[in-house]
């Protein structure tokens, strides 16, 4: 356990322990009385980790995925993989496969188009597309559109948009529905071979791991063929009949469903079908059709590996190899579609792209660069074990990228008017300010300097003190000394100051930022949406995740001011506002009122670590 935590020192300790317990249970089964006897303590050996050194010198994702790094099989050498089932036809099928692919690596990213992608999907995208890219191969984007009840066109569009936003181009965009005719033909063949049958047990009867055996398991082949045709013609109601495959899965589940009745029009095939294939039936066969070499999926699908091999071999078709890797989870958030819908319905968030969520559309709207998300996935590494990470690690990746990408500008969140009584020019001066102070070659922008400027209200103190701001009698920025200030309702609302040339004044006590002739804007400041690390854990949050919402997760500053130099910025453009943080232009911006989202502060808040 100690070695595992050392290898994954950013991961949550509780989650590591749970993962180890699950793996031990899967390998050894439930504890017996002998196991419960007290024994001398022994050290847990290292977790199997493909490449996960979370040190500062993290390998790039392509380096982690290239060549022999993962010990994956070479294209056409599927049979060398442990557990791969070899049949009399295997070598001939692999020879045909190599003739079609030319020995090229082929992967696929197969999301269900019934929700928006989240940070966990970013790892899957990087792994599938990254492995293909690192090894000179191609990756398909295949929509697993086998459940017409929950699929919407907006999800298809958003998924592809996010894949491309992360920097990947699919070799081809396909759909499981592209292969419905072939899948149906194969289902008939499976029945003819005595490997599938029509069953009338209800869903509630076959739930769980130990349901009663189907009384229709041994029904004659011809009878199942006729009944399956009746299913296709709509002669059975939903739940009255299913097509089941004759196999026992690795987790003990018996005879998984291959087809079920659904009287729901499909977004692509319309009313042509009233029966739809399941994941267990569709996935491996679509991989076979597309000649996928490496079927990469998260570890919860390990229990389906045996059915994956079984089905391809039962039909005598090319059988790819399934490889599993650990999921990526994040603390202080929820990512399940059902829970995000509840957040939207209750008004806790605006929509799937609310910047407090960790969907990819939300991260883009908040201002996270795609490079930062990819770098985060690289730092997590390609692990067999599930990784649960702190959000501040993702934020650190964002700072690294934004520091290089985001030009500088100035903004004031709580403006305090300052009038320079001895301003040395009859009209505003123009000051050239570098976009990136450390590199003048990356250009400049003009900032007006007028008799009236605005500073942060918190950058003025009435009583002189050892304070890095503007105080009576002190020098700060371009303003020196003070004459008087104006009050309203107990607050200082305006200052009158004098200015002195820098070469004639004493060294400033402080440097503060300011704006002159600014644009009015709205600024949205975000904090964590939930108060606890695991809002879905009843032991941490007995009242459920909706009871754990942070009341201070969003603060809107309606009357902020920003440099006029950002006037031409477009949605998702990013800036570093001096002394405040990194900000991104929100799509809600309109003529005369820009809206900015704070992506991250300039430095990590120690309280969040």
């Amino acid at each position: 356990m100690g070695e595992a935590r050392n290898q994954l020192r950013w991961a949550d300790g509780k989650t590591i322990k749970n993962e180890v317990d699950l793996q031990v249970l899967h390998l050894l089964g439930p504890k017996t009385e002998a196991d419960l006897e007290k024994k001398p303590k022994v050290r847990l050996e290292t977790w199997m980790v493909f490449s996960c050194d979370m040190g500062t010198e993290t390998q790039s994702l392509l380096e982690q995925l290239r060549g022999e790094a993962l010990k994956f099989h070479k294209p056409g050498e599927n049979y060398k993989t442990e557990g791969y089932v070899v049949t009399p036809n295997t070598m001939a099928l692999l020879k045909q496969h190599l003739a079609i692919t030319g020995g090229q690596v082929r992967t696929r990213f197969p999301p269900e188009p019934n929700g928006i992608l989240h940070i966990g999907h970013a790892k899957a995208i990087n792994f599938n597309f990254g492995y293909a890219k690192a090894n000179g191969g191609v990756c398909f984007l295949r929509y697993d559109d086998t459940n017409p009840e929950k699929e919407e066109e907006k999800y298809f569009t958003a998924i592809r948009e996010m894949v491309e936003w992360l920097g990947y181009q699919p070799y081809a965009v396909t759909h499981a529905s592209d292969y419905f005719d072939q899948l149906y033909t194969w289902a008939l063949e499976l029945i003819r071979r005595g490997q599938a049958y029509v069953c009338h047990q209800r869903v509630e009867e076959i739930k769980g791991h130990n349901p009663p055996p189907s009384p229709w398991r041994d029904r004659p082949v011809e009878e199942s063929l006729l009944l399956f045709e009746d299913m296709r013609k709509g002669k059975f109601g939903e739940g009255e009949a299913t097509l089941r495959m004759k196999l026992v899965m690795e987790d003990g589940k018996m005879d998984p469903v291959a087809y079920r009745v659904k009287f729901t029009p499909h977004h692509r095939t319309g009313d042509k079908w009233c029966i739809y294939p399941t994941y267990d039936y569709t996935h491996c066969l679509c991989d076979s059709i597309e000649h996928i070499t490496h079927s990469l999926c998260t570890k919860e699908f390990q229990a389906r590996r045996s059915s994956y091999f079984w089905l391809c071999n039962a039909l005598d078709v090319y059988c790819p190899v399934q490889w599993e890797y650990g999921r990526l989870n994040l603390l202080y958030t929820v990512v399940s579609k059902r829970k995000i819908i509840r957040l939207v319905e209750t008004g806790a968030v605006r929509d799937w792209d609310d910047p407090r969520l960790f969907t990819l559309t939300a991260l883009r709207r908040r201002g996270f660069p795609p490079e930062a998300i990819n770098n985060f996935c690289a730092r997590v590494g390609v692990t067999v074990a599930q990784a649960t990470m702190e959000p501040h690690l993702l934020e650190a990746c964002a700072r690294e990228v934004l520091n290089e990408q985001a030009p500088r500008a100035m903004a004031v969140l709580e403006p305090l008017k300052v009038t320079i009584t001895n301003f040395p020019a009859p009209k505003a001066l123009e000051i050239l300010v570098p976009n990136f102070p450390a590199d003048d070659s990356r250009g400049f922008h003009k900032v007006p300097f007028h008799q009236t400027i605005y500073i942060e209200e918190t950058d003025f103190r009435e009583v002189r003190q050892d304070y890095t701001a503007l105080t009576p009698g002190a020098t700060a920025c371009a303003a020196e000394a003070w004459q008087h200030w104006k009050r309203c309702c107990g607050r200082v609302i305006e200052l009158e100051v004098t200015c002195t040339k820098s070469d004639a004044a004493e060294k400033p006590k402080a440097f503060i930022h300011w704006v002159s002739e600014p644009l009015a804007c709205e600024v949205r400041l975000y904090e964590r949406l939930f108060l606890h690390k695991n809002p879905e854990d009843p032991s941490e949050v007995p009242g459920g995740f909706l009871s754990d919402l942070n009341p201070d997760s969003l603060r809107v500053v309606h009357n902020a001011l920003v440099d006029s130099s950002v006037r031409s910025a477009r949605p998702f453009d990013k800036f570093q506002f001096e002394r405040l943080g990194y900000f991104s232009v929100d799509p809600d911006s309109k003529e005369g009122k820009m809206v900015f989202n704070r992506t991250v502060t300039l430095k990590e808040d120690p309280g969040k670590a």
Side-chain angles (χ1 to χ4, degrees):
M1 187 70 187
E3 184 66 25
R5 294 190 66 176
N6 184 53
Q7 289 283 338
L8 300 167
R9 62 180 183 275
W10 298 115
D12 179 61
K14 180 179 178 182
T15 306
I16 289 180
K17 184 179 183 304
N18 290 341
E19 178 67 21
V20 171
D21 290 343
L22 283 172
Q23 291 192 34
V24 171
L25 179 63
H26 176 72
L27 291 171
L28 305 180
K31 289 184 177 181
T32 64
E33 290 185 8
D35 294 320
L36 297 175
E37 294 178 4
K38 288 187 177 181
K39 298 181 180 66
K41 290 185 178 179
V42 294
R43 185 179 178 185
L44 182 67
E45 293 302 320
T46 306
W47 249 345
M48 181 180 176
V49 177
F50 288 143
S51 179
C52 187
D53 179 5
M54 289 293 292
T56 55
E57 298 298 325
T58 306
Q59 284 185 309
S60 73
L61 189 68
L62 293 187
E63 288 172 333
Q64 296 181 49
L65 297 173
R66 188 172 289 122
E68 300 294 326
L70 298 184
K71 308 300 180 186
F72 285 171
H73 70 283
K74 294 178 181 178
E77 296 184 356
N78 305 29
Y79 59 91
K80 293 185 178 180
T81 306
E82 184 179 354
Y84 189 81
V85 179
V86 177
T87 71
N89 292 331
T90 294
M91 301 314 293
L93 290 168
L94 289 176
K95 185 177 180 180
Q96 294 172 13
H97 162 72
L98 285 174
I100 292 170
T101 66
Q104 185 180 50
V105 167
R106 288 190 174 192
T107 62
R108 81 290 168 272
F109 174 58
E112 297 177 73
N114 59 5
I116 298 296
L117 302 182
H118 55 72
I119 188 66
H121 290 112
K123 180 178 179 180
I125 292 170
N126 272 277
F127 196 9
N128 280 282
F129 282 90
Y131 182 72
K133 182 177 181 180
N135 294 282
V138 297
C139 183
F140 292 72
L141 170 59
R142 183 204 308 146
Y143 295 107
D144 184 15
D145 57 341
T146 57
N147 190 358
E149 293 174 332
K150 298 181 179 180
E151 294 157 4
E152 295 182 42
E153 185 59 36
K154 67 177 182 180
Y155 297 136
F156 288 85
T157 303
I159 287 170
R160 180 166 186 177
E161 193 175 292
M162 288 299 98
V163 168
E164 294 177 349
W165 177 64
L166 288 178
Y168 296 106
Q169 284 294 331
Y171 169 71
V173 177
T174 61
H175 304 73
S177 57
D178 295 339
Y179 312 121
F180 276 179
D181 288 320
Q182 178 63 68
L183 294 173
Y184 178 75
T185 299
W186 275 338
L188 293 173
E189 180 62 23
L190 203 62
I191 297 171
R192 293 189 189 100
R193 296 187 178 204
Q195 301 291 359
Y197 63 95
V198 172
C199 175
H200 303 287
Q201 285 179 298
R202 294 282 180 172
V203 173
E204 54 272 16
E205 295 180 72
I206 60 176
K207 274 186 176 180
H209 291 290
N210 294 299
S214 172
W216 294 280
R217 196 174 199 268
D218 297 318
R219 77 187 329 161
V221 167
E222 290 304 320
E223 187 177 330
S224 281
L225 284 171
L226 290 172
L227 291 171
F228 189 50
E229 179 65 14
D230 288 344
M231 286 174 61
R232 188 185 70 81
K233 291 179 178 178
K235 294 183 179 181
F236 288 102
E238 293 189 12
E240 291 181 359
T242 59
L243 181 69
R244 296 176 67 180
M245 299 176 282
K246 292 183 179 180
L247 78 147
V248 179
M249 301 176 73
E250 287 187 24
D251 61 359
K253 185 178 179 182
M254 189 172 182
D255 294 358
V257 172
Y259 270 87
R260 71 280 202 211
V261 177
K262 282 184 180 292
F263 292 104
T264 304
H266 192 275
H267 72 288
R268 298 185 74 239
T269 60
D271 295 324
K272 179 178 179 180
W273 300 95
C274 64
I275 56 172
Y276 293 98
T278 61
Y279 175 91
D280 287 321
Y281 179 77
T282 306
H283 185 65
C284 62
L285 295 180
C286 287
D287 282 353
S288 179
I289 291 170
E290 294 175 353
H291 283 272
I292 301 303
T293 58
H294 298 77
S295 182
L296 309 175
C297 56
T298 48
K299 199 171 182 185
E300 63 264 33
F301 293 101
Q302 183 173 341
R304 290 178 159 100
R305 190 194 301 170
S306 59
S307 66
Y308 186 105
F309 292 157
W310 177 89
L311 183 53
C312 289
N313 291 328
L315 289 167
D316 279 328
V317 298
Y318 161 71
C319 183
V321 179
Q322 175 175 304
W323 292 94
E324 300 90 17
Y325 59 91
R327 286 172 60 106
L328 169 60
N329 294 324
L330 215 58
L331 298 173
Y332 295 101
T333 191
V334 297
V335 294
S336 85
K337 301 178 184 79
R338 182 175 58 83
K339 289 185 170 69
I340 291 177
I341 289 172
R342 288 286 293 130
L343 289 170
V344 174
E345 290 174 343
T346 57
V349 298
R350 294 173 61 183
D351 208 336
W352 290 82
D353 66 346
D354 188 297
R356 290 166 290 181
L357 295 173
F358 283 88
T359 60
L360 294 184
T361 52
L363 290 170
R364 180 180 65 169
R365 184 167 187 169
R366 184 159 170 172
F368 279 80
E371 298 89 342
I373 295 172
N374 293 342
N375 291 348
F376 176 64
C377 292
R379 289 192 179 187
V380 172
V382 185
T383 63
V384 173
Q386 176 175 292
T388 301
M389 313 300 290
E390 293 272 4
H392 70 80
L393 296 173
L394 175 58
E395 293 168 1
C397 291
R399 289 188 187 93
E400 290 177 4
V401 174
L402 290 170
N403 185 52
E404 297 296 323
Q405 291 186 356
R408 277 43 169 180
M410 289 189 287
V412 173
L413 302 187
E414 297 176 351
L416 175 60
K417 183 178 179 181
V418 178
T419 301
I420 304 171
T421 58
N422 64 336
F423 190 74
K427 60 179 181 178
L429 304 174
E430 279 192 343
I431 301 174
L432 278 180
V433 179
N435 294 328
F436 295 87
D439 186 358
D440 290 350
S441 68
R442 299 181 70 180
F444 294 79
H445 60 276
K446 294 179 180 179
V447 173
F449 182 39
H450 192 266
Q451 181 180 15
T452 300
I453 65 173
Y454 298 86
I455 67 171
E456 289 286 358
E457 185 177 322
T458 53
D459 278 338
F460 173 73
R461 288 291 183 272
E462 297 182 36
V463 179
R464 186 165 186 174
Q465 52 187 277
D466 184 18
Y467 180 76
T468 56
L470 183 62
T471 58
T475 304
C477 186
E480 182 198 340
W482 54 275
Q483 293 177 343
H484 65 273
W485 57 80
K486 298 178 183 177
R487 286 181 176 277
C488 178
C489 303
R491 292 179 61 189
V492 175
I493 60 170
E494 184 178 347
L495 300 178
E496 289 187 353
V497 302
T498 58
C499 69
T500 304
K501 289 186 176 181
S502 58
D503 56 3
E506 65 179 87
K507 184 178 180 180
K509 302 290 185 184
F511 290 87
I512 61 176
H513 65 283
W514 49 271
V515 293
S516 183
E517 298 184 355
L519 303 175
C521 67
E522 178 181 301
V523 174
R524 298 169 182 172
L525 306 174
Y526 299 98
E527 299 293 344
R528 289 171 179 161
L529 182 59
F530 295 99
L531 297 171
H532 289 81
K533 284 187 175 184
N534 299 290
E536 299 171 277
D537 187 343
S539 64
E540 280 191 48
V541 187
F545 73 101
L546 289 176
S547 69
D548 195 46
L549 294 169
N550 177 7
D552 301 317
S553 63
L554 170 62
R555 180 166 77 91
V556 180
V557 181
H558 294 284
N559 298 306
L561 302 174
V562 66
D563 272 350
S564 56
S565 63
V566 306
R567 187 189 305 273
S568 61
R570 295 291 178 261
F572 308 121
D573 284 353
K574 299 163 184 59
F575 299 91
Q576 182 194 116
F577 289 166
E578 302 279 2
R579 302 175 65 217
L580 296 179
Y582 295 100
F583 292 77
S584 178
V585 181
D586 190 86
D588 286 345
S589 297
K590 56 187 178 183
E591 188 71 31
K593 191 62 176 285
M594 300 185 75
V595 179
F596 291 90
N597 295 318
R598 184 174 67 189
T599 308
V600 289
T601 54
L602 289 178
K603 294 182 179 180
E604 180 183 324
D605 181 352
K608 290 185 178 181

